[in-house]
Amino acid sequence: MKYHIEGMDCASCIGKIETALKRMPGVSDVQLNFATETLELNLAPGAPTQASDIEKTIKSLGFGISANTGQQTVSAIDIDSDNQMAPQDKQWWQTQKGKQVVGLGILMGSAYALSLLLPAYGIWVFAIAVIVGVFPFARKALALAKTGSFFSIETLMSVAVLGALIIGEAEEAAAVVFLFSIGELFESIAADRARAGIRALSSLVPKSAILLDAQGGQRNVPATSLQVNDLVLVRPGDRVSADGSIVQGASSLDDSPVTGESVPVAKTMGDNVFAGSINIDGVLQVRVEKTAADNTISRIIELVEQAQASKAPTARFIEKFSRYYTPAVMAIAALIIIIPPLAMGGDWSTWLYRGLALLLIACPCALVLSTPAAIASGLAVGARRGLLIKGGSALETIGQVKTVAFDKTGTLTEGKPCVTDVVAFTQEDSSIQGQNSQGQDEILALFASVEIGSSHPLAEAIVSHAEAAKVVIPVASNASATAGKAVHATVAERALAIGSPVYAADEALISFTQQAQIEALQNEGKTVSVLFDEQNREVLGLIALRDELRDDAHEGVAQLKAMGLRSVMLTGDNRLTAQALASNLDVEWEAELLPEDKLRLLNEMKNNRKIAMVGDGINDAPALATADVGIAMGGGTDVAIETADIALLKSRVTDMAHLIALSRATMRNIHQNVIFALGLKGVFLITTVFGITGLWIAVLADAGATVLVTLNALRLLRFKGAPPLVNPPKVVK
């Protein structure tokens, strides 16, 4: 049986549902996926449990459930589902939890206003707010208790709030309910954003494909219907609809969705292509080698789903503590009320008073606030600095990482090619680079003239460089292109061409000196374009391009090293480029990696130590999801940002150090709050039992602890960032 579950906001929700279902006779093999909100289970034939019983139980726990009757599910097999893959239309205030927060806010605001105008009636409005607010939690706590989860956080909340209400602290009880409701709402929003990453991934593969029949006819078919050995047509500008190999044509393809390669790759007959890649300039016929269920993007989707399902976030401290704290406090309060009168002949009213005072002191108001107050301050100061942190678990974990893995393209680098070298050759094959700027300007002008009509990223970079250098670009004619190989044009009555060194070697005469110059530039990780005269086969000059490091990459990596963290660069780009840039940064590196390779390396590097992954591309999504903390650059793709736990909105490498420093400061603040709240309660629990302090001291102690914990958390708002480096690194271009 398959179901779609709504309302699972954190990993603990899975445990609650599993505990309830496993107690039902005839139910087995319960499998829940938090990322896709799906439930699968086996129900034995003839079992006393019916399908309606399963639905009723899950609804009683506060979750929505609907039968998954079709074959389509949110998985790599179906990337075109209209049910679960569609974006949610509701805004946060339109959801059930959003309405609860808004309603409680209105009630509390009314109560405060009324208590100022009519103090005698204010407490009743607070009491109404408490009853309305705690009712859903109390009902859920009762349902969880019936299904085996006796001491959940809902139980903790209900006991704390009702205890405060009984003693007359309705204002404090209302505040606790309101803050807890806000926390639940934030979890719901964060969970939906995580799932949006999978929805965005599915849009990378086209919904339809152009299928070629044996007679050469063309017809549009759904991409999901393609079978192995089908022949499909891919036009310029189209996305490749399936993994396969080219059987006819040549073109440049943008493989960045899959490999992260920053420069389009020239491909021809026999070369492999990936689903989701963008065809730039040639017409291709591709033979399908993998179905939609097994293509590259589908595998990435599956990796993200598996990573999100297996990566249980750090459970909230109060959730763990409530397993012991709640039953212990209830038992101690009951014993204090009952045992002295029965065993020692004590006065019932006296010990009832002391029991209620103990319950109030034990009311975890300060403890409940200690963590979320610090987290809220940390999230607020992070947002102010351009650090979008999706929840307290990510904020807590990032400060514990020991290794930071960086993607290269668009993360450590700018993500776009730029001209680094212009080399002009004389007829005697001697380089005049750096000696004759006029020669360089002439070669740059010829390059720009031939490339000016092309939309290729390398061509656009060359033209932009020429315009920035203010060289005069001559008018070209007879412009044409050899798909995936070269561009041609006539300039000043000379037939010129620009191509790769491999293409130029076949069409022109490259001397030993020129070849050495080309290899030297390639060894620096640069892409080289060669300009030559097609009539006399003379090489006129070279232009080298490279995706250069961000201006703050050196400082950012140096700050992490100063904080005791290891930095590693993982990239799908070629080894020469990776080695050159990694040597410049003085970091470890791995190159020519596919998404599954990055995933494997991350798992190997963990070695019982937490690891963060920083990326910006679609191909980084599985790695971002499987790392302990996934961090996306704000200028990256929507998929990376949605999949990641944290987004660096200003796309600065130095923000990584600020992020880790903020996490460590927040965790110190939380530890201070927890120790203070528990220590103060421990002292007054003892004094209350012995009758040293009374009810009003208990109220003062609890309220005072709450105020002090909140004020301590507000200190985080003065966070100034990571300390500056004493000796900043020297940048080498």
Side-chain angles (χ1 to χ4, degrees), residues 254-263 265 267 274 277 296 300 407 409 571-573 592-595 598 619-620:
D254 179 4
D255 285 343
S256 59
V258 180
T259 66
E261 176 69 49
S262 57
V263 176
V265 180
K267 296 191 178 184
F274 304 105
S277 295
T296 305
I300 291 177
D407 175 50
T409 305
T571 178
D573 217 336
E592 299 177 0
L593 304 175
L594 290 173
K598 290 184 180 181
N619 60 298
D620 298 319

Side-chain angles (χ1 to χ4, degrees), residues 319-390:
E319 176 77 30
K320 293 180 178 179
F321 195 76
S322 66
R323 298 175 186 173
Y324 309 98
Y325 186 82
T326 302
V329 165
M330 294 173 65
I332 292 172
L335 291 174
I336 287 176
I337 293 173
I338 296 173
I339 291 180
L342 293 179
M344 298 179 291
D347 180 64
W348 281 98
S349 61
T350 299
W351 288 102
L352 176 61
Y353 180 88
R354 292 182 180 181
L356 290 176
L358 182 145
L359 190 61
L360 177 59
I361 291 174
C363 176
C365 299
L367 192 60
V368 167
L369 283 173
S370 61
T371 300
I375 292 293
S377 295
L379 296 179
V381 75
R384 197 167 60 208
R385 299 185 66 95
L387 311 175
L388 178 60
I389 306 169
K390 301 178 183 178

Side-chain angles (χ1 to χ4, degrees), residues 27 31 35 49 134 163 184 204 212 263 270 287 325 370 377 410 479 485 534 537-538 593 596 628-629 656 676 724:
V27 175
Q31 296 182 359
T49 301
V134 80
E184 294 283 299
L204 297 175
L212 300 176
V263 176
R287 187 173 302 282
Y325 186 82
S370 61
S377 295
K485 295 182 178 181
E534 293 186 288
R537 305 183 70 193
E538 176 190 356
L593 304 175
E596 50 264 40
D628 294 293
V629 183
M656 274 300 303
F676 180 78

Side-chain angles (χ1 to χ4, degrees), residues 471-541:
V471 301
V472 178
I473 302 176
V475 178
S477 60
N478 303 322
S480 62
T482 301
K485 295 182 178 181
V487 290
H488 316 267
T490 300
V491 183
E493 299 182 354
R494 299 175 71 184
L496 304 179
I498 299 173
S500 67
V502 174
Y503 178 80
D506 294 334
E507 303 295 329
L509 299 175
I510 300 180
S511 69
F512 177 80
T513 303
Q514 293 168 344
Q515 184 62 36
Q517 181 80 64
I518 292 172
E519 291 177 359
L521 292 170
Q522 289 179 328
N523 288 335
E524 294 174 2
K526 298 173 181 177
T527 300
V528 179
S529 293
V530 182
L531 173 69
F532 60 92
D533 189 313
E534 293 186 288
Q535 292 178 337
N536 58 27
R537 305 183 70 193
E538 176 190 356
V539 176
L540 303 177

Side-chain angles (χ1 to χ4, degrees), residues 272-329:
N272 292 325
V273 295
F274 304 105
S277 295
I278 303 171
N279 183 22
I280 294 179
D281 48 28
V283 178
L284 301 176
Q285 290 187 18
V286 176
R287 187 173 302 282
V288 177
E289 295 182 348
K290 294 180 180 178
T291 62
D294 195 35
N295 67 33
T296 305
I297 297 298
S298 294
R299 293 202 312 273
I300 291 177
I301 294 173
E302 185 177 4
L303 289 172
V304 173
E305 289 180 349
Q306 291 173 352
Q308 289 185 340
S310 62
K311 185 184 69 172
T314 304
R316 288 175 297 183
F317 171 80
I318 203 65
E319 176 77 30
K320 293 180 178 179
F321 195 76
S322 66
R323 298 175 186 173
Y324 309 98
Y325 186 82
T326 302
V329 165

Side-chain angles (χ1 to χ4, degrees), residues 61 319 528 546 720:
L61 300 179
E319 176 77 30
V528 179
R546 189 170 68 181
K720 301 298 182 183

Side-chain angles (χ1 to χ4, degrees), residues 61-85:
L61 300 179
F63 302 101
I65 181 172
S66 58
N68 195 346
T69 56
Q71 297 298 318
Q72 295 181 332
T73 58
V74 189
S75 68
I77 295 178
D78 175 34
I79 57 173
D80 191 29
S81 172
D82 294 328
N83 295 326
Q84 287 92 22
M85 294 296 286

